[in-house]
Amino acid sequence: MKILVVGGGAREHAIVHALSKDDVEIYSVMKNLNPGIKRLASDYLLHDETDVEKVAEYARNKGIELAIIGPEAPEEAGLTDELLKHEIKVASPTRAAAEIETNKEFMRLLMEKHNIKGSVKSRAFSDIELAREYIEMLDGEVAIKPIGLTGGKGVKVAGDHFNSIEEAVEYAREIIEKGIGGKHRVLIEEKIVGEEFTLQAFCDGKSIYPMPAVQDHKRLLPDDKGPNTGGMGSYSCSDGLLPFLTADDYEAAPTILQRVIDALRMEGREYRGVIYGQFMLTAEGPKIVEINARFGDPEAMNVLTTLKTSFVEICSGMADGDLNGISIDFENKSTVCKYVVPSGYGIKPAAGEKIEVDERAIKDAGAVLFYASVNEVNGEIYTTTSRSLAIVGIANELQEAERICEEGLKHVKGNVFIRHDIGTKELIDKRIKHMEELRGI
Ligand code: GLY
């Protein structure tokens, strides 16, 4: 089978890696030359992934039978719809279904209309004075969000990114005036407190098939300080839960996602592909922070490295609208993934710098390497402004996975930065304690 994977990050390298365990031919469209994808692909096109006509033309010329879109921007540009027009199967949502991610106002209104548990108080505004009134009504305990896509970097939360009603109003004003996220409109939500976790699920339009829970680390600096990033690293546990997440907490999450899928179907927006729920585990149970129309990055690396079932079979099932009868299993392993990013990432990244990656030594350390937004030039690896590569440690116990990940990281050299605290006992104990305090234990 000829399969097209769109996107050139570590998530897409992990997708290609998982697909290539089967006897398939992989094709890629990516905007940077990811060396890991290049090596596994029969052919690739270096091009803007949101140029839907060009990507579809490439897919037709190569005789592609199935496509998987990694990032959200090509989904928003209508790539799934364009490929479907040419009778190419797609294991990713249409533009209308992907609005669950690309339009945060739509997501909250859908949950409200269909009375889906796990949402929060929220309202969208184009008028800053009305936004101010709402912020005041919530005593400034708010999250301020652009409506559209910002690569995970547009959300600001009271106490984390601003400390007064005035600062909240200023950021809301900036979003409206500059049109951050593509719309002159801002979403104000009540702030929720707890521990965040990610629940990803395969979906065939009707039913969801959940994966192990993962915890990402959005903030740039150790101990969850600094600006938001695309994600600095993540971990998962062998039992599919997280050290602060009980089986009951976990069960509530897929129930919410299933209701979202049902609501989308009722609205004529059948959802096929991976759906990603970003949850906040609060003292009252999980609440939706956001929903994404794709795998998470880095979270894809935690789940795809432990997936036992053929990923080609799962993607075909999602694209065909029928996962029924496929038994989806994961190894009972813990994983820790840490990103290597250029120094200054998120502020003033050191782009275009050479990094040394000893692939053999990383493998010998038992770790798995996924390249991200780097460029390969004459066999050398150069940074861009985005994340460079990820190293994943996999083991029975979480602490052993963290140790393996760190062993692998020793073999990446250059002007780079890593959040070494991800997956450490110290940080995890802090998260457990935080949840215990919130639950009054
Ligand atoms: N890890 C956050 C995201 O993929 O959106």
Side-chain angles (χ1 to χ4, degrees), residues 11 216 218 230-231 276 278 290 292 294-299:
R11 167 184 49 204
D216 183 20
K218 274 193 171 326
Y276 166 118
Q278 164 124 51
E290 60 185 46
N292 293 332
R294 53 176 171 80
F295 272 116
D297 186 351
E299 294 97 321

Side-chain angles (χ1 to χ4, degrees), residues 3 8 13 44 143 153 158 181 215 304 313 340 380 396 404 413:
I3 305 181
H13 185 183
Y44 62 87
K153 298 166 195 114
Q215 189 173 41
L304 285 174
E313 200 185 340
V340 175
E380 311 278 14
N396 291 333
I404 293 170
K413 305 245 160 39

